[in-house]
Amino acid sequence: MPRRRRSAFIATVLVVASLLTGCQLGERPYFSDDPYAAGTPTGDPVVDAVLAKLDAASTGPLTAGYAGLVKFGSTEFSASVLLDGDRRLVTLSNAIYRDTPEGQQTCAADGSRPCEQGLLAARASDTQLTVDFYAADAATRLRRKAAAKVGPATERTATFAGQAATCADLPISDGATTFTVSYCVLDNGVIALIDDSDVRIELALYLNSVDATQFTLQ
């Protein structure tokens, strides 16, 4: 067999063999390349202890109320989270998000505009937070800060609204000064404090119950 034809034949055999191996072994496992994905460790044990709780946050029932501050402009806002299994209601400033098996909608707390279908992030953009701020997005924020910290995180405990929390304080530098950002989480994985460069939000009320009528779509 001529060398060129023999090379093409071998290449074809190798391709077929790889396809057959894939069929026998099944699909190759997928590994996320997102460095901030849930479950991704940072290598700092203090940060990872807080992340482990955030990544496994409770689905309730619980009601959490927060006091918030957007640091640029010193704008205050309130927030709340109601969780009950597969139903949740999140309020961020004037935006009310209902997420239930019956549907998703975004409403205005002051009734200034009609409810709309879907969870519309832009309606709460003035708070610097999202509908998932209380767990999943807090974890993403913390992973990003862990990648930028200029020293090891410091562990501490604190109490918010009568609830014990585990905290990680991270040293961050902006190139001119070094400052500390803090993330605290309850034992059930719900955020108790975010004190970051852009926003501060702190747990002010906590109940192990919900008002089920709040989940009704408008």
Side-chain angles (χ1 to χ4, degrees), residues 3-217:
R3 181 179 298 175
R4 185 173 299 174
R5 186 177 299 174
R6 183 169 62 250
S7 297
F9 174 76
I10 293 173
T12 301
V13 170
L14 290 175
V15 169
V16 172
S18 66
L19 291 174
L20 289 175
T21 301
C23 292
Q24 292 171 355
L25 299 180
E27 294 185 4
R28 293 181 179 181
Y30 172 77
F31 297 96
S32 172
D33 58 0
D34 180 0
Y36 310 123
T40 304
T42 67
D44 187 310
V46 173
V47 174
D48 288 344
V50 171
L51 287 172
K53 294 179 185 293
L54 289 171
D55 287 342
S58 170
T59 56
L62 66 85
T63 298
Y66 296 86
L69 172 69
V70 177
K71 294 186 177 182
F72 182 74
S74 297
T75 303
E76 296 181 349
F77 65 92
S78 61
S80 64
V81 178
L82 281 69
L83 302 176
D84 187 17
D86 58 0
R87 301 182 299 170
R88 63 175 176 162
L89 181 145
V90 176
T91 302
L92 282 168
S93 189
N94 194 44
I96 299 176
Y97 298 99
R98 289 184 177 87
D99 186 5
T100 75
E102 289 73 38
Q104 297 177 327
Q105 68 175 189
T106 303
C107 300
D110 63 3
S112 58
R113 56 195 301 180
C115 295
E116 300 178 70
Q117 290 187 351
L119 305 178
L120 308 180
R123 298 274 287 267
S125 60
D126 58 328
T127 68
Q128 311 298 312
L129 299 173
T130 76
V131 68
D132 297 310
F133 81 90
Y134 59 90
D137 278 1
T140 299
R141 274 177 162 265
L142 180 51
R143 285 187 168 91
R144 287 175 175 156
K145 290 301 179 181
K149 64 186 176 65
V150 295
T154 301
E155 180 183 10
R156 64 183 171 90
T157 58
T159 301
F160 299 88
Q163 306 297 309
T166 301
C167 304
D169 297 331
L170 291 72
I172 303 293
S173 176
D174 61 6
T177 60
T178 298
F179 56 95
T180 299
V181 300
S182 300
Y183 284 74
C184 300
V185 62
L186 302 184
D187 287 341
N188 66 2
V190 173
I191 199 72
L193 174 71
I194 298 174
D195 191 0
D196 213 327
S197 54
D198 58 340
V199 68
R200 176 187 174 90
I201 187 162
E202 180 175 343
L203 183 70
L205 177 146
Y206 185 87
L207 301 171
N208 286 310
S209 60
V210 295
D211 176 1
T213 64
Q214 296 300 312
F215 299 114
T216 303
L217 299 179

